[in-house]
Amino acid sequence: MLTKFESKSNRVKGLAFHPQRPWILTSLHNGVIQLWDYRMGTLLERFDEHDGPVRGIDFHHVQPLLVSGGDDYRIKVWDYKLRRCLFTLLGHLDYIRTVNFHGEYPWVVSASDDQTIRIWNWQSRSCVSVLTGHNHYVMCASFHPQDDLIVSASLDQTVRVWDITGLRKKTVRGPPVAIGTHITSSSLQELGASSTSASSVVSRVNADLFGGNDAIVKYVLEGHDRGVNWASFHPTLPLVISGADDRQVKLWRMNETKAWEVDTMRGHSNNVSCVVFHPKHELIVSNSEDRSIRVWDISKRLGVQTFRRENDRFWILAAHPVQNLLAAGHDSGMIVFKLERERPAFGSHLDTLFYVKDRYLRIHEYSPRRDLPMLSLRRPTGHAQNGVCAGPRSLEYNTMNPSEHNVILFSQQDGGSFELLVFPGDVIASNQQGESSDLKRGLALSAVFLSRNRFAVLDKNRQIIIKDLNNEKRKSVPPPNPSTDCMFFAGTSGRLLLRTDDRVMLFEPQSRRVLAELQVARIKYVIWNQDCSRVALLSKHGITIASRDLEQLCSVTETVRVKGGGWDDRIFLYTTLNHVKYCLTNGDTGIIRTLDVPVYITRANQKQLYCLDRELKHCILSVDNTEAVFKLALEDKNYLEVMNMIKHSKLCGKAIIVYLQEKGYPEVALHFVDDLQTRFKLALACGNIEVAMNTAYEIGDDECWHRLGMEALRQGNHQVVEMSYQRTKNFERLSFLYLLTGNIEKLRKMLKIAEMRRDIMGRFHNSLFLGDATERTRVLEEAGQSPLAYVTAVSHGMLEEAGRIKELLQSAGRPIPIVLHNSQLMQPPTPILRSDNWPLLAIPKSTFRNSYEDQSEHGDTVDHTSSPGWDADLDLDEHDVKVDEVEAESDEVGGWGEDLDIDDAANEDADYASSNLKADEAVSRTYIVPVAGICPENRWCKNSAHAADHAAAGSFGSSMNYLNRQISIVNFSPMRGRFLVLHAASKSSVPGLPLSSSYEIAMLRDGNVANGSCFPRIANSMPQLIDALRNSYRLFQKGNFQASRERFHHILRCIPLIIAESRSHANEVRELMDITREYVTAIRLKHANAIEKGVRQMELSAYFTHCNLQPAHLALALNLAMTQAYKGGNFITAASFARRLLDLPDSSAQGKSELHNKAQTVLQKSEQKARNEFKLNYDERNPFEINCKSLDPIYRGSQLERCSFCKSAYTNSMKGHICSTCNIALIGIETLGLVTQTQVKGHYN
């Protein structure tokens, strides 16, 4: 059994597959209907309107409808697109067992405990027929896939087949006519006759009184000794299968006149709940209350496979109508599974594909599209003939032997076996078919070619056996790791790839050396490129690209299963369940196209993918890998190819723009963009002032001009800054710019504009910038600040003006301010450069811009000689100007036109960037800012995706973001101290020279600062936490629970910030977290136990004993619970605790004899009294988890939520609250999980 999906829920009573989409419906015993996507493993929708268990569920074949029937006697029809119930059908008088849509007609058939079967028209929402005849509960009823038949099973020990031809003629008026079908006159007459009959009043009355002939019993199948639980039709053959409480599965055959029992299959040890035909093979699948699923061969009537569960009884089965999928519902959920692998066994070499189909080794040539059977294989033995594990699992072709063809077929038969096929090299050209007599067989866990005439076998004893092509042993080599379970071709002669649980090793059997190893998840397939310089290691949900020497180049993780892949030069193309994707060696990935059904890539050649589907049919998919080729050319800095693709390809979309920005090529992204806002942002990112300025003209937004001014100011182009301030009318910044550039004339004009705008502060600032004390005195006096005006006049020696103001103050009766005698005149600084731009920050034009720039296409060049943007925003003429004219933006050229010659400056900058200037001109006009280095902290943040590395770098914000995404931590206050400790411990300080500051040195745990792969030393370590755990144990033993709880909380808060060195250490970290969680919960229970009294106290002590504690601590917990239960009068419960205490290891050892004797005494006295005075909310036989909020049990089968970090259990109502155990993470949030090992994001050089 290959489990594809499994869900945990209440007991599942009904299942239904969607015919096209990867959906499955489950109806539960608690009245909920769930809609699952079994491919993605997600719950899509819940429907909850039934009152009581829902036993029947089904999808409509075409319409977005589903139907359900439950113990509330109601049938409900739902629209899953609208996510609501459309209507309810009433009529049954007891529980409804099953409901089923008809494949063509608007009918629903339902079976009920009221001993009837009803057929409903869901369009008219009425019952069209009632089928009576069973004299006990009708357990199931379903339509035949093609004929006008219904099969039903009942507890009256019979299976009935009903003929509904009369009902179809009466209500549907003939079979449905397909589109394009010619309607003859005879069919019209038949339609008219049936219409007349249906409208006859007499016939309707007779049907109501005597039962009519709409549906008649065609066959009654009797043979079961007890009630029949299920019966179903074969999809194509005239067969019926049934299962009953007599633990038997019976196969029935029928013809036009009779039906008879073919055979009985025995094997179940309890009631058979459900039985169905396999959708793809001649098999029968049944499940039972004996907790097993059995597979039977129809031809041999024998059981071929059995699958069991430990504690769950099976209730329902469902088969997908098209795919090779089955589903089974049990007491605690349901599973979707397959009986066999559907991946074909194939191997490709050069222009030839070798694959197995219909017990033949076939050869497919790509170029002439020729497909030939080459070799007949042996007939599978045992149950393999029935389609279960029938074909080989893998095919290995020997690419190192050019003289002949060597193929190894590996299968799972007999626990693992291989077949070696050898046939001449000219057999393909001669179109000859070989025989299976030349096969060499053997038992092995894995087999792979090692050289031209040698292959290696991993036998059942985990030894590597080297054999020749005659299947004779030549050498035996032990693998370097005893847990090696599979071998793969290593790309070159004399080497093997060995797989263990968590790594792959490159092994050389001749020297018995491990040449390299790579830590990677359990791989399933290995795919080499044509020259064997690159290899793709495929696991269930991931891809790792490595070199020939097993050096990891990149790793990609998928959310769905990876099905296969192939190399197209340096691009690795692979398929998932629903996509074709690409992966480059630098880690870049993308989607190429979607898939309707899964396919397996056999060869990738430029724009075509050669594939095999699950039916072993060849298909060629057209793919567009332009995006991958573009990224590859960009990585190789192949600028000519990049520019050619920019001109002629249809690359577009936000994804490619974001990619170019991330890779540092915003100037390339600029050529893909037509959106003005995005184009403006990209122009600023690459420092292209001209394009940004022209785009800002088109947008006409003040925010864009403001950002343009900031970028121009950064580059030192103050003329563009001036224009930006003019466009936004930012007078304050404009005045300050004139002050910095020494443009006194325009500063005086700004003073005049401020006066016309009645801007008091603007006038004062401009007069201050100009050093005009007279103007400042006048501004202060007009603003009503006469004392300040007097002080200003006296300080600057304007005695006449000061006297006038003094008289005004005296006449107004205001005091005369005191003026200091040491005051000095304030004058603005003298600028160094007055006329030209400042020394410009060098923004050299890239190769892309110089080679590609097409001014006519995007309008990058604008004639500014007549543009109002430079010289018409502010009219600064010396003549009188009205305030309204200044406030409005003028459209005429004038004002500063003679001073603001930006075109010449821009042309000079362009000439400078495109040609080599003389040395003296370069020194005088341009200053290139040196490139800043990268500090170790930035490298740590760039290279690592672990929160501890970011905290050590001082980037607390990004560290908190990682912890929030990974384990949903939201309360960071308790972790503040750990963050500070990590940051302080990541550096050491060395005294510097006298009168100089000390020198900080980064503390690294591996690598160095120069190679770009350094990581900080982390203050937290496993030995420290183990010591803290021991101390916590000692405090717990002594009964100092408060101090012990603080130590355990300290460990919990250190765990997210610890870095494990290997996978085994990572498992130790998770184990430490489980231990800490259990002890924190135990201490909380002990604290609550000390506070409570009576029944609640006994309950808490009972829960205390179910925490996963050390044996010595568990003995103390059992002693407490036993004592309190005995004192409280619950002697049965006390005896249970005493037995558990006596069963503990070393309970009678020295030092524990007193506890042992006490337990024996309590057990003896409790067995004598044998009663419980109080009923406790405690059932020791039913497994449960502690609700860490209310400290009550959550028994198995109940829905619960867990803390995203420490995995403490809670009820569903606590979802979204902070965990009471760790006090830092949220409950019930789906996250990535705890990250314990450094995840390298990529070197930052």
Side-chain angles (χ1 to χ4, degrees):
M1 176 190 289
L2 300 176
T3 302
K4 312 304 289 184
F5 170 68
E6 184 169 2
S7 71
K8 298 294 184 182
S9 65
N10 210 296
R11 179 184 300 172
V12 175
K13 300 297 291 183
L15 290 169
F17 281 102
H18 194 281
Q20 285 89 29
R21 299 183 179 181
W23 294 353
I24 187 169
L25 277 171
T26 64
S27 59
L28 308 183
H29 197 265
N30 61 359
V32 176
I33 301 171
Q34 295 178 336
L35 176 60
W36 291 91
D37 186 325
Y38 56 81
R39 181 179 293 177
M40 300 299 295
T42 56
L43 179 63
L44 302 179
E45 193 60 56
R46 285 167 53 98
F47 305 96
D48 188 6
E49 288 190 19
H50 278 283
D51 185 11
V54 182
R55 303 178 186 271
I57 195 74
D58 194 26
F59 271 116
H60 195 276
H61 296 268
V62 179
Q63 300 295 329
L65 301 176
L66 60 96
V67 62
S68 62
D71 286 3
D72 54 1
Y73 313 164
R74 288 176 169 83
I75 297 174
K76 292 181 178 289
V77 178
W78 314 73
D79 189 317
Y80 56 74
K81 285 187 176 180
L82 301 178
R83 302 179 179 181
R84 63 182 180 89
C85 178
L86 299 180
F87 53 88
T88 301
L89 302 174
L90 300 176
H92 280 295
L93 305 177
D94 209 334
Y95 297 168
I96 298 170
R97 294 286 179 171
T98 62
V99 287
N100 179 239
F101 275 114
H102 195 280
E104 297 175 348
Y105 307 138
W107 289 348
V108 173
V109 63
S110 59
S112 171
D113 285 359
D114 62 4
Q115 305 180 16
T116 66
I117 302 165
R118 289 179 179 262
I119 302 175
W120 312 79
N121 188 316
W122 56 264
Q123 288 182 342
S124 62
R125 306 181 184 182
S126 61
C127 179
V128 296
S129 182
V130 180
L131 283 60
T132 59
H134 286 292
N135 53 28
H136 209 304
Y137 298 164
V138 183
M139 301 301 290
C140 77
S142 61
F143 290 108
H144 192 280
Q146 300 169 357
D147 301 332
D148 294 329
L149 298 174
I150 290 176
V151 64
S152 62
S154 171
L155 294 187
D156 61 5
Q157 304 179 13
T158 65
V159 176
R160 293 174 181 254
V161 178
W162 309 76
D163 188 347
I164 55 172
T165 304
L167 179 66
R168 186 254 301 165
K169 291 181 179 180
K170 174 183 176 181
T171 59
V172 185
R173 301 185 181 182
V177 180
I179 297 176
T181 303
H182 181 66
I183 302 177
T184 62
S185 58
S186 60
S187 62
L188 289 174
Q189 292 175 3
E190 181 182 352
L191 292 175
S194 60
S195 175
T196 304
S197 176
S199 59
S200 174
V201 177
V202 176
S203 62
R204 286 205 311 270
V205 172
N206 290 337
D208 293 338
L209 293 177
F210 306 108
N213 60 353
D214 297 344
I216 61 174
V217 178
K218 191 172 185 180
Y219 311 115
V220 177
L221 309 180
E222 298 179 329
H224 285 287
D225 297 331
R226 301 185 67 179
V228 185
N229 292 318
W230 201 267
S232 59
F233 286 115
H234 192 282
T236 56
L237 300 177
L239 298 175
V240 174
I241 194 72
S242 62
D245 287 347
D246 58 6
R247 308 175 184 178
Q248 297 177 1
V249 175
K250 289 185 178 290
L251 180 64
W252 313 80
R253 181 178 290 274
M254 57 186 181
N255 57 20
E256 292 297 329
T257 58
K258 63 178 181 178
W260 64 97
E261 179 183 338
V262 176
D263 207 343
T264 300
M265 285 153 277
R266 299 174 176 86
H268 284 293
S269 59
N270 208 331
N271 302 339
V272 179
S273 306
C274 188
V275 57
V276 296
F277 288 100
H278 193 278
K280 292 288 186 179
H281 303 293
E282 296 304 314
L283 300 171
I284 296 169
V285 184
S286 63
N287 64 6
S288 167
E289 295 181 39
D290 62 4
R291 300 177 177 85
S292 71
I293 298 175
R294 291 180 179 265
V295 182
W296 314 83
D297 179 16
I298 292 181
S299 58
K300 293 187 175 182
R301 287 88 168 182
L302 294 176
V304 293
Q305 278 185 331
T306 302
F307 312 105
R308 297 185 183 276
R309 290 184 73 90
E310 292 294 331
N311 304 310
D312 298 319
R313 297 169 295 176
F314 287 101
W315 298 101
I316 188 67
L317 276 172
H320 197 286
V322 180
Q323 301 179 19
N324 185 20
L325 286 175
L326 296 164
H330 51 78
D331 282 334
S332 60
M334 66 96 179
I335 54 174
V336 178
F337 63 96
K338 295 193 297 187
L339 297 181
E340 62 172 350
R341 289 163 41 92
E342 295 182 283
R343 178 187 177 89
F346 64 89
S348 185
H349 178 60
L350 299 179
D351 198 41
T352 307
L353 171 68
F354 299 84
Y355 69 103
V356 177
K357 181 180 181 181
D358 299 332
R359 294 189 297 107
Y360 280 94
L361 175 66
R362 304 182 69 91
I363 293 179
H364 178 80
E365 296 180 275
Y366 294 112
S367 297
R369 301 292 301 277
R370 185 174 60 165
D371 193 275
L372 303 171
M374 282 293 103
L375 199 64
S376 175
L377 306 177
R378 67 168 180 170
R379 183 180 298 275
T381 59
H383 65 265
Q385 298 181 37
N386 310 298
V388 182
C389 302
R393 184 161 188 169
S394 63
L395 184 150
E396 187 79 20
Y397 180 78
N398 190 0
T399 61
M400 297 170 286
N401 190 355
S403 60
E404 60 183 5
H405 297 292
N406 310 136
V407 174
I408 291 179
L409 300 177
F410 179 79
S411 65
Q412 292 292 340
Q413 297 180 29
D414 305 321
S417 62
F418 70 90
E419 297 179 356
L420 174 63
L421 314 177
V422 179
F423 50 98
D426 58 350
V427 68
I428 300 178
S430 60
N431 195 13
Q432 298 177 355
Q433 181 175 330
E435 298 295 334
S436 60
S437 59
D438 296 334
L439 300 182
K440 284 88 174 175
R441 304 182 179 92
L443 299 179
L445 299 177
S446 183
V448 65
F449 286 106
L450 183 63
S451 62
R452 182 182 63 84
N453 56 358
R454 295 286 188 272
F455 68 98
V457 171
L458 183 66
D459 66 4
K460 299 298 180 66
N461 298 321
R462 304 294 175 96
Q463 297 292 310
I464 300 175
I465 309 299
I466 310 299
K467 296 187 175 185
D468 59 18
L469 297 184
N470 293 321
N471 201 20
E472 296 179 357
K473 179 179 177 181
R474 294 297 183 181
K475 189 177 181 181
S476 178
V477 180
N481 192 322
S483 63
T484 300
D485 59 359
C486 191
M487 301 187 303
F488 300 96
F489 176 58
T492 184
S493 176
R495 295 181 178 182
L496 295 172
L497 285 179
L498 306 181
R499 182 188 73 184
T500 60
D501 291 335
D502 60 346
R503 66 188 65 244
V504 176
M505 293 176 290
L506 182 60
F507 180 64
E508 190 175 67
Q510 183 67 27
S511 61
R512 304 190 179 188
R513 292 185 304 145
V514 176
L515 304 179
E517 66 177 40
L518 180 63
Q519 186 170 352
V520 63
R522 186 178 180 84
I523 65 171
K524 300 173 67 176
Y525 313 107
V526 171
I527 303 174
W528 292 88
N529 64 349
Q530 189 169 358
D531 60 357
C532 293
S533 61
R534 298 284 186 271
V535 62
L537 308 175
L538 274 61
S539 58
K540 187 176 182 180
H541 291 286
I543 298 172
T544 301
I545 307 293
S547 65
R548 178 187 287 122
D549 297 326
L550 226 57
E551 296 178 358
Q552 180 173 334
L553 303 178
C554 71
S555 179
V556 177
T557 302
E558 292 287 342
T559 57
V560 295
R561 289 180 173 88
V562 179
K563 309 307 293 183
W567 287 91
D568 183 8
D569 195 12
R570 295 166 55 195
I571 304 172
F572 182 69
L573 302 173
Y574 64 97
T575 59
T576 63
L577 284 172
N578 43 20
H579 287 106
V580 177
K581 297 185 176 183
Y582 69 86
C583 176
L584 304 182
T585 54
N586 62 357
D588 292 336
T589 61
I591 297 175
I592 295 180
R593 60 171 293 172
T594 58
L595 294 173
D596 296 328
V597 294
V599 295
Y600 304 89
I601 298 176
T602 61
R603 185 191 186 194
N605 185 17
Q606 295 181 355
K607 300 290 185 180
Q608 291 183 328
L609 281 183
Y610 297 87
C611 305
L612 280 175
D613 62 12
R614 287 175 170 173
E615 304 295 332
L616 291 173
K617 298 178 182 178
H618 298 276
C619 57
I620 301 177
L621 302 179
S622 298
V623 295
D624 184 5
N625 60 352
T626 307
E627 181 180 322
V629 174
F630 175 81
K631 292 181 178 180
L632 202 60
L634 199 62
E635 180 189 3
D636 296 340
K637 295 182 170 38
N638 187 352
Y639 298 142
L640 293 178
E641 178 68 18
V642 171
M643 289 185 293
N644 183 58
M645 296 183 70
I646 291 173
K647 293 179 180 178
H648 300 99
S649 298
K650 296 182 179 179
L651 288 169
C652 60
K654 292 184 178 180
I656 195 69
I657 295 171
V658 172
Y659 174 82
L660 290 169
Q661 284 186 281
E662 290 178 350
K663 293 297 181 180
Y665 296 103
E667 66 273 16
V668 183
L670 195 60
H671 299 297
F672 291 95
V673 180
D674 293 326
D675 180 70
L676 295 177
Q677 290 287 351
T678 307
R679 185 172 174 78
F680 177 78
K681 294 176 183 178
L682 290 173
L684 291 185
C686 60
N688 194 330
I689 294 296
E690 296 177 7
V691 175
M693 182 175 61
N694 293 321
T695 309
Y697 270 117
E698 297 182 47
I699 297 175
D701 184 19
D702 287 349
E703 178 63 25
C704 292
W705 284 106
H706 174 69
R707 295 178 60 186
L708 175 63
M710 294 176 62
E711 176 61 23
L713 189 63
R714 187 185 71 86
Q715 296 186 20
N717 194 335
H718 67 76
Q719 294 177 342
V720 177
V721 177
E722 179 184 359
M723 184 201 65
S724 300
Y725 292 165
Q726 290 180 19
R727 297 284 298 189
T728 58
K729 296 184 179 180
N730 198 330
F731 299 105
E732 292 79 8
R733 291 175 181 263
L734 195 58
S735 297
F736 194 71
L737 177 67
Y738 291 148
L739 172 66
L740 297 180
T741 57
N743 199 332
I744 303 301
E745 182 180 354
K746 290 184 178 178
L747 201 54
R748 289 196 180 98
K749 296 179 181 179
M750 291 300 300
L751 177 61
K752 188 173 183 180
I753 290 177
E755 184 178 354
M756 290 184 292
R757 294 177 59 244
R758 298 184 179 89
D759 184 1
I760 296 295
M761 289 304 299
R763 289 176 59 192
F764 183 80
H765 285 154
N766 284 289
S767 61
L768 187 64
F769 295 157
L770 287 168
D772 190 346
T774 304
E775 181 64 22
R776 289 209 305 274
T777 303
R778 185 163 54 251
V779 170
L780 291 171
E781 186 177 2
E782 293 178 3
Q785 299 292 335
S786 299
L788 291 178
Y790 172 77
V791 172
T792 303
V794 173
S795 300
H796 292 82
M798 296 182 295
L799 300 180
E800 183 178 349
E801 188 70 17
R804 184 182 63 81
I805 298 175
K806 183 178 180 179
E807 293 178 358
L808 293 176
L809 290 173
Q810 290 176 345
S811 61
R814 302 175 65 180
I816 306 300
I818 301 174
V819 181
L820 299 178
H821 298 288
N822 58 351
S823 58
Q824 297 180 356
L825 176 63
M826 294 180 60
Q827 290 291 341
T830 303
I832 300 174
L833 298 175
R834 288 181 178 271
S835 58
D836 232 341
N837 272 332
W838 293 333
L840 297 179
L841 178 65
I843 306 292
K845 289 188 178 181
S846 67
T847 306
F848 296 108
R849 200 192 306 173
N850 289 330
S851 303
Y852 181 77
E853 193 166 28
D854 186 359
Q855 298 175 354
S856 62
E857 179 181 354
H858 296 294
D860 290 353
T861 301
V862 177
D863 185 8
H864 299 296
T865 57
S866 61
S867 171
W870 286 91
D871 50 4
D873 292 333
L874 299 176
D875 192 357
L876 303 182
D877 199 356
E878 294 290 346
H879 302 290
D880 294 337
V881 182
K882 296 181 180 179
V883 175
D884 296 338
E885 295 176 353
V886 176
E887 294 286 350
E889 188 176 329
S890 174
D891 292 332
E892 297 180 358
V893 179
W896 292 348
E898 68 279 10
D899 297 323
L900 205 56
D901 192 3
I902 298 300
D903 288 340
D904 294 338
N907 293 333
E908 288 176 6
D909 293 342
D911 293 339
Y912 173 77
S914 61
S915 63
N916 295 325
L917 298 179
K918 294 181 181 180
D920 55 345
E921 292 177 350
V923 171
S924 62
R925 297 177 59 88
T926 305
Y927 170 71
I928 300 177
V929 178
V931 179
I934 302 173
C935 63
E937 290 85 350
N938 288 346
R939 291 183 184 275
W940 300 343
C941 296
K942 291 290 184 180
N943 291 346
S944 175
H946 199 287
D949 291 329
H950 286 250
S955 180
F956 298 148
S958 60
S959 178
M960 289 188 288
N961 287 336
Y962 275 116
L963 291 175
N964 180 263
R965 291 198 299 265
Q966 292 167 0
I967 50 179
S968 190
I969 292 182
V970 295
N971 182 20
F972 290 95
S973 299
M975 301 190 66
R976 181 176 182 273
R978 302 312 309 163
F979 277 76
L980 296 176
V981 168
L982 289 183
H983 181 51
S986 65
K987 296 179 181 179
S988 63
S989 182
V990 178
L993 296 174
L995 302 180
S996 66
S997 60
S998 60
Y999 180 68
E1000 289 186 347
I1001 299 177
M1003 304 297 291
L1004 307 180
R1005 66 175 182 268
D1006 54 4
N1008 53 65
V1009 180
N1011 63 8
S1013 61
C1014 59
F1015 296 105
R1017 186 176 298 277
I1018 302 302
N1020 296 335
S1021 65
M1022 276 301 293
Q1024 294 175 355
L1025 297 187
I1026 295 299
D1027 290 340
L1029 181 64
R1030 293 194 185 100
N1031 293 333
S1032 302
Y1033 280 163
R1034 283 192 285 269
L1035 293 172
F1036 189 90
Q1037 182 82 18
K1038 295 177 182 179
N1040 191 351
F1041 297 111
Q1042 184 61 31
S1044 177
R1045 182 177 182 178
E1046 293 176 359
R1047 294 292 181 92
F1048 282 120
H1049 274 298
H1050 168 76
I1051 296 173
L1052 268 181
R1053 288 155 191 170
C1054 288
I1055 286 176
L1057 300 174
I1058 194 170
I1059 297 179
E1061 298 177 357
S1062 63
R1063 180 164 300 212
S1064 60
H1065 289 176
N1067 293 334
E1068 291 177 4
V1069 173
R1070 291 185 173 87
E1071 183 180 357
L1072 178 63
M1073 183 177 66
D1074 293 338
I1075 293 173
T1076 308
R1077 178 193 65 237
E1078 292 295 323
Y1079 271 88
V1080 170
T1081 304
I1083 294 172
R1084 293 183 61 215
L1085 286 166
K1086 181 62 180 70
H1087 177 71
N1089 177 267
I1091 299 175
E1092 298 288 345
K1093 299 293 181 182
V1095 175
R1096 180 59 177 168
Q1097 185 182 47
M1098 287 189 287
E1099 289 177 348
L1100 291 171
S1101 63
Y1103 306 153
F1104 191 12
T1105 65
H1106 287 266
C1107 294
N1108 190 8
L1109 307 178
Q1110 295 294 317
H1113 303 155
L1114 182 58
L1116 297 176
L1118 287 169
N1119 179 41
L1120 174 67
M1122 177 184 67
T1123 302
Q1124 292 183 353
Y1126 187 83
K1127 290 181 179 180
N1130 277 32
F1131 301 108
I1132 298 176
T1133 307
S1136 172
F1137 294 139
R1139 293 189 191 95
R1140 289 176 58 190
L1141 182 57
L1142 293 173
D1143 290 339
L1144 287 178
D1146 300 330
S1147 62
S1148 60
Q1150 185 177 4
K1152 298 183 181 178
S1153 57
E1154 181 181 351
L1155 195 60
H1156 183 267
N1157 295 335
K1158 179 180 178 181
Q1160 286 183 331
T1161 304
V1162 170
L1163 177 61
Q1164 182 180 0
K1165 293 185 177 181
S1166 297
E1167 287 178 345
Q1168 293 174 356
K1169 298 180 181 180
R1171 68 178 186 276
N1172 280 341
E1173 295 294 339
F1174 302 99
K1175 183 178 180 180
L1176 305 182
N1177 182 18
Y1178 171 66
D1179 184 3
E1180 64 174 342
R1181 298 181 182 85
N1182 191 359
F1184 64 86
E1185 296 191 50
I1186 302 297
N1187 182 349
C1188 293
K1189 179 63 177 178
S1190 62
L1191 300 181
D1192 289 324
I1194 303 176
Y1195 291 101
R1196 176 179 292 178
S1198 303
Q1199 294 185 353
L1200 55 82
E1201 299 288 349
R1202 294 190 181 275
C1203 171
S1204 303
F1205 167 47
C1206 66
K1207 305 304 178 185
S1208 297
Y1210 296 88
T1211 58
N1212 291 343
S1213 60
M1214 288 299 295
K1215 184 174 183 179
H1217 293 74
I1218 294 181
C1219 174
S1220 300
T1221 303
C1222 62
N1223 197 29
I1224 56 176
L1226 293 180
I1227 301 167
I1229 306 300
E1230 293 187 7
T1231 59
L1232 299 174
L1234 179 64
V1235 176
T1236 56
Q1237 292 180 274
T1238 301
Q1239 300 182 1
V1240 181
K1241 296 193 294 186
H1243 295 329
Y1244 180 70
N1245 294 317

